[in-house]
Amino acid sequence: MQIRRRDLLAGAAAAMPRGAAAGSFDINSVRADFPRTRTAAYFDNASCHPLSVQSAAALHRFIEWNTNEVGEPWWPYWSEARQQSKALFAELINARPSEIAFLRSTVEAESNLLNGMNIQAEGGNVVTNDLHYSASIYNYKMRQKAGLDVRIVKHRDWQLDLRDFERVVDKKTKLIAVALVSNVNGYLCDVKALSQLAHAHGALLYADIIQCVGAIPIDVKAMGIDLAAASTYKWLMGLKGFGFAYIREDLQGTVVKPTQHSGGVRFNYAPWTTTPDPKQEDIGFSPVTGPGRYEVSYASCSGIICALESLKYIKQLGVDNIRAHSRALTGRLQKEMPRIGYPSITPPGNESPILAFATRDPQAAIARLKQAGVHVAMRFGNKMRISPSVYNSQEDVDRLLNALS
Ligand SMILES: Cc1ncc(COP(=O)(O)O)c(C=O)c1O
């Protein structure tokens, strides 16, 4: 079978969810796009979001293209897909494409950005908190062991209090690092207040946005976020091992230096060239400029192809509609779960698609949910995390509540 570039692009155009309209979307069409909904009430999107049929089809076309004789070179499609996916991600968070780099992992990106800031050598400190992702906290603890001044704010009743940050941020603080939405209980932190605090002390604000980008509106400019990262396997409905970093344009290569090297090399001697230029050095090189300077080698083709489909899908549904949809489900769960014996550890009115509930008997609860075909996550011993997405319905919520009642 011959796959041509226009087949891939045509396939991409067909990726639009059916029935999406301003103000709402057709839940039945969306459910049809996620075959997983046929067999289970899947509420574990904060662990890993299922793929849509559109993304799966794009991946199949890509595999076909790689497996069989191809009609056309793949590079033009690939190059377009790279640009389009960066442009759509930038639009989603109100950044410019020139502020977006590809990444492999959220945690790795945070670590690399931190390395590029040279904070320890300059005697600076980093402020983070215990609702940040555990692998990131581990990273900061290891750096603390190696001499970096790290200050970890503890949550109070599963929320962060600005005053606790004010107490530890000082003129030597170079970075405040937070998860915009916590993977523990979905707590959405007041990132605007934290960025104001950071900026008032000459520091930057890093936000791990993996648990919210695609699910709630994010505006990095309005929120004062300087650096951010998210891979695509959660609310961007994509694959593991691929994602996007946001690096504010004026910080690139200056305040946040690349820590890996990416660029082109020119050989200026025979047999590489028949016309060496005596004025040029033997091996010349030109570094990549712009956000590509934070990328090394090829980004994941399958990651980009999948992200492109899902970014189009999310755009078509509309993030405000996505948020409104999950709010109806989380609102009901916040009300009903405590009534049947599961107190919430997510603050009331919290604007994220993730909730967590204290569970008296985690094993029994999981067994009952499994029996009913309902997927949730049990984390940190007894915290039941429920994270509905675009295809979850009120009937899914009924199923979950009935199983636990
Ligand atoms: C808040 C948060 N940050 C980071 C990660 C890990 O992301 P990655 O696999 O892209 O490093 C997770 C995974 O659950 C997460 O919940």
Side-chain angles (χ1 to χ4, degrees):
M1 181 182 162
Q2 286 220 329
I3 301 272
R4 289 156 308 175
R5 182 169 158 258
R6 64 176 161 275
D7 295 332
L8 278 151
L9 292 172
M16 300 304 173
R18 290 150 289 140
S24 67
F25 54 79
D26 177 355
I27 176 78
N28 291 324
S29 300
V30 171
R31 285 177 77 78
D33 290 336
F34 290 90
R36 192 166 202 155
T37 60
R38 287 181 208 145
T39 48
Y42 183 79
F43 282 106
D44 195 12
N45 298 288
S47 292
C48 195
H49 201 287
L51 294 187
S52 67
V53 290
Q54 290 85 351
S55 292
L59 286 175
H60 282 304
R61 289 192 295 275
F62 174 65
I63 288 165
E64 195 62 48
W65 202 356
N66 268 271
T67 313
N68 293 308
E69 175 65 15
V70 291
E72 289 179 24
W74 65 299
W75 176 252
Y77 167 74
W78 169 238
S79 172
E80 261 175 67
R82 284 169 59 96
Q83 283 172 25
Q84 277 184 39
S85 63
K86 276 194 183 181
L88 284 171
F89 181 79
E91 189 182 329
L92 189 61
I93 63 168
N94 190 31
R96 286 185 284 272
S98 54
E99 295 175 305
I100 307 300
F102 296 129
L103 58 79
R104 282 187 296 247
S105 136
T106 318
V107 172
E108 184 184 71
E110 180 175 355
S111 188
N112 283 342
L113 293 170
L114 191 68
N115 288 341
M117 291 178 69
N118 212 20
I119 295 176
Q120 187 172 338
E122 289 168 11
N125 68 65
V126 176
V127 175
T128 187
N129 65 89
D130 65 353
L131 291 181
H132 195 2
Y133 188 55
S134 53
S136 296
I137 297 174
Y138 182 85
N139 187 10
Y140 288 113
K141 286 300 287 180
M142 289 304 286
R143 287 165 191 265
Q144 191 176 49
K145 228 175 141 190
L148 177 64
D149 183 352
V150 176
R151 301 160 184 198
I152 303 179
V153 168
K154 292 186 179 155
H155 73 83
R156 289 175 193 265
D157 195 20
W158 303 104
Q159 312 188 44
L160 299 173
D161 189 327
L162 181 61
R163 287 166 299 186
D164 291 329
F165 283 84
E166 285 167 346
R167 270 190 276 279
V168 294
V169 169
D170 60 26
K171 61 181 192 317
K172 288 193 173 170
T173 303
K174 298 289 176 209
L175 186 72
I176 299 183
V178 297
L180 181 51
V181 164
S182 161
N183 65 298
V184 179
N185 66 338
Y187 172 69
L188 170 67
C189 78
D190 184 355
V191 77
K192 174 93 189 159
L194 288 174
S195 79
Q196 280 168 349
L197 179 65
H199 295 165
H201 290 81
L204 299 181
L205 190 288
Y206 168 82
D208 169 335
I209 56 174
I210 192 175
Q211 286 296 7
C212 52
V213 63
I216 64 170
I218 296 179
D219 181 333
V220 287
K221 305 295 176 197
M223 291 170 157
I225 296 172
D226 305 298
L227 305 163
S231 56
T232 54
Y233 60 97
K234 300 186 192 286
W235 307 95
L236 292 177
M237 308 174 185
L239 296 176
K240 283 198 162 119
F242 174 74
F244 302 93
Y246 158 74
I247 305 115
R248 217 181 72 198
E249 199 145 15
D250 58 305
L251 303 174
Q252 292 177 21
T254 54
V255 181
V256 184
K257 295 200 171 59
T259 50
Q260 303 170 97
H261 301 292
S262 174
V265 166
R266 292 176 312 279
F267 297 102
N268 183 40
Y269 53 93
W272 291 101
T273 174
T274 48
T275 52
D277 178 349
K279 290 200 272 325
Q280 300 292 331
E281 54 190 337
D282 274 1
I283 301 179
F285 65 102
S286 36
V288 169
T289 54
R293 74 181 97 201
Y294 300 96
E295 300 164 6
V296 181
S297 199
Y298 292 109
S300 158
C301 300
S302 45
I304 287 181
I305 283 165
C306 209
L308 180 56
E309 297 308 307
S310 48
L311 284 164
K312 286 179 184 169
Y313 194 92
I314 289 165
K315 182 174 174 174
Q316 186 76 8
L317 291 183
V319 178
D320 287 327
N321 296 334
I322 291 174
R323 180 64 206 112
H325 175 77
S326 64
R327 190 187 288 124
L329 305 174
T330 52
R332 183 164 165 227
L333 286 161
Q334 272 288 55
K335 219 161 75 195
E336 299 293 334
M337 287 289 286
R339 282 191 191 152
I340 58 169
Y342 298 84
S344 177
I345 62 163
T346 303
N350 187 61
E351 280 288 294
S352 91
I354 304 173
L355 300 169
F357 300 94
T359 306
R360 248 198 318 270
D361 186 346
Q363 271 185 350
I366 285 295
R368 289 166 86 166
L369 290 169
K370 196 167 172 206
Q371 174 85 10
V374 178
H375 295 255
V376 299
M378 195 66 77
R379 296 279 188 269
F380 304 101
N382 71 335
K383 293 160 191 72
M384 186 191 299
R385 189 179 67 190
I386 306 177
S387 48
S389 186
V390 288
Y391 52 77
N392 286 115
S393 61
Q394 290 292 356
E395 289 73 29
D396 286 344
V397 176
D398 291 341
R399 196 159 151 186
L400 185 152
L401 293 170
N402 289 338
L404 293 176
S405 295

